[in-house]
Each structure stands twice: as structure tokens, then as C-alpha cells.
Amino acid sequence: MLDQIIASLIVWQQTQHLPSLMLKRWYFVFYLTSFVIIAFMLWRYYRQLHNHNYEKYRPHWPNWHDVKIIISGLLSIFIMEIALNILSIHLHVQTANDSANQQMVNQLTQGNPQAMFWFGVIFAPIMEELIFRGFFFNYFFKHMHGKSALLAIIIDGCIFGCMHEQTHFMSWLVYAILGCILATCYYRSKNIYVSMSVHILNNLIASI
């Protein structure tokens, strides 16, 4: 719901013909709302870890070990996208570029590229990582080892896929595997900023 508040601001602005002064005020409300929501979610996440940190997650500035996980995560996403695109061509099915989620993003980007850049590359990845990795793992998987860790990663990826694409299986699979890769990065590093970095860099590359 918090994520949709920001998206709704972008949609609302596109339906209006705002004068310069009103547009500046809109941008102020957009960025302020985004920062307030992210600050609230970070506060809740740190509070959660302070009270119940079963897996000893340690949010910190990425070190060299974290950087290697970030690089391996990006490479995994790159390989996954190539493999699924080849499979999609052979099966003559739609890819993630044709998904309903991607079409909506493209439409919003054309109407307001500046706001969509900040939303798609910065705000959304941060909020989604806090929700799908941070809160999700600590609430529902309190002890992740071996098979339970694998199950948690798969479930997390499937839910992530459903939240992004529900119309075509191959498109859903792209997002689901992406969610699994991000979940693996979080699980291996115990650092939410690692999965955030992978998610942000992936969206940045896709937006270029």
C-alpha cells in the first residue's frame, strides 16, 4: 500500500496539466512522501531486528565480501535473462519486456521520466527489499538453514513474481527467479543493503 501511494502520485500528475509552480509543489510532495515512507519502513525494520533478530542480520555499509555477492547477483540476473529470453523465443511466448508490469512502467516513464526514474531505480527497490526480504524473512522464517532456507528463498521469489506479473507464466518466471536471486543475496550477506544494491543496479541498467 505504501508503495502504491508513490505510484499513484505519478499517475495523478500525468492526468493533470499543472503550471510550473504547481509542478514544483507536486515534486516536493512526491519526494517528501517517498522519503517519509522509506524512513518509516527503515525504522520498523531496525526495530524488528532489535527485538527479534533470529538469523543475526547485520545491516551495514557493504564491505568487500558484500561487493562480491553484489557482482555475483548481477551476473546471475544477466545469465537468467539471457537464458529465459532464448527459451521464450523457442517457445514463442512473451517475455518480461511484454509483461503487464513492464508495459505500465513504460507508460508511466513516458509521461514523467524524472519521477519514474527516482521511483523505479531508487524508491521502489528500497521499499521492495524491506518488504520482500527484510520483513518477510524475519516474520515468517525465523530459522533458515538448509532446506528451510531454500524453501524460504523459493517462496519469497514466487510471491515477488506474483506482485509484478500475473498474466503470463514466462514473464512471471523472470520476476520469480529475480526475487530468488535477491533473496539469496540477502541470505548470504545478512545485509539488506546488499540486496538493495543489486536491485537498484539491476533497475538502473534496465532503465538506461
Side-chain angles (χ1 to χ4, degrees), residues 10-11 14 95-117 119-121 164-165 175 203 205-208:
I10 299 176
V11 174
Q14 290 186 4
T95 63
N97 293 328
D98 303 313
S99 68
N101 179 77
Q102 189 61 44
Q103 290 176 6
M104 180 191 69
V105 170
N106 293 339
Q107 182 180 358
L108 293 177
T109 301
Q110 292 174 0
N112 197 323
Q114 178 181 341
M116 272 307 300
F117 174 83
F119 176 67
V121 177
H164 286 79
E165 176 60 32
Y175 289 109
N203 286 19
I205 294 171
S207 68
I208 296 176

Side-chain angles (χ1 to χ4, degrees), residues 170-207:
M170 189 59 68
S171 299
W172 170 85
L173 187 61
V174 171
Y175 289 109
I177 296 178
L178 172 61
C180 290
I181 293 173
L182 293 170
T184 302
C185 291
Y186 180 53
Y187 174 69
R188 287 180 56 198
S189 65
K190 306 295 184 182
N191 184 4
I192 192 68
Y193 297 121
V194 168
S195 59
M196 282 183 185
S197 298
V198 176
H199 202 155
I200 289 173
L201 290 172
N202 176 68
N203 286 19
L204 176 62
I205 294 171
S207 68

Side-chain angles (χ1 to χ4, degrees), residues 122-177:
I122 305 298
F123 299 142
I126 292 175
M127 288 187 289
E128 288 179 357
E129 289 310 304
L130 287 170
I131 293 170
F132 289 104
R133 260 59 71 178
F135 297 134
F136 178 79
F137 279 170
N138 220 38
Y139 272 125
F140 298 106
F141 291 90
K142 300 178 180 179
H143 301 287
M144 295 174 56
H145 304 285
K147 292 181 179 180
S148 62
L150 179 61
L151 178 64
I153 290 171
I154 293 175
I155 293 176
D156 181 84
C158 290
I159 296 175
F160 185 78
C162 289
M163 292 299 295
H164 286 79
E165 176 60 32
Q166 302 173 8
T167 56
H168 303 286
F169 174 76
M170 189 59 68
S171 299
W172 170 85
L173 187 61
V174 171
Y175 289 109
I177 296 178

Side-chain angles (χ1 to χ4, degrees), residues 8-27 108 110-112:
S8 298
L9 284 174
I10 299 176
V11 174
W12 177 84
Q13 187 271 330
Q14 290 186 4
T15 62
Q16 311 297 315
H17 298 285
L18 303 178
S20 178
L21 180 60
M22 284 294 295
L23 191 60
K24 291 180 180 179
R25 291 177 178 175
W26 177 86
Y27 277 117
L108 293 177
Q110 292 174 0
N112 197 323

Side-chain angles (χ1 to χ4, degrees), residues 48-64:
Q48 179 195 48
L49 293 186
H50 180 267
N51 295 331
H52 305 287
N53 192 353
Y54 300 99
E55 286 298 313
K56 298 182 179 179
Y57 294 108
R58 304 177 303 276
H60 58 269
W61 184 257
N63 52 35
W64 176 238

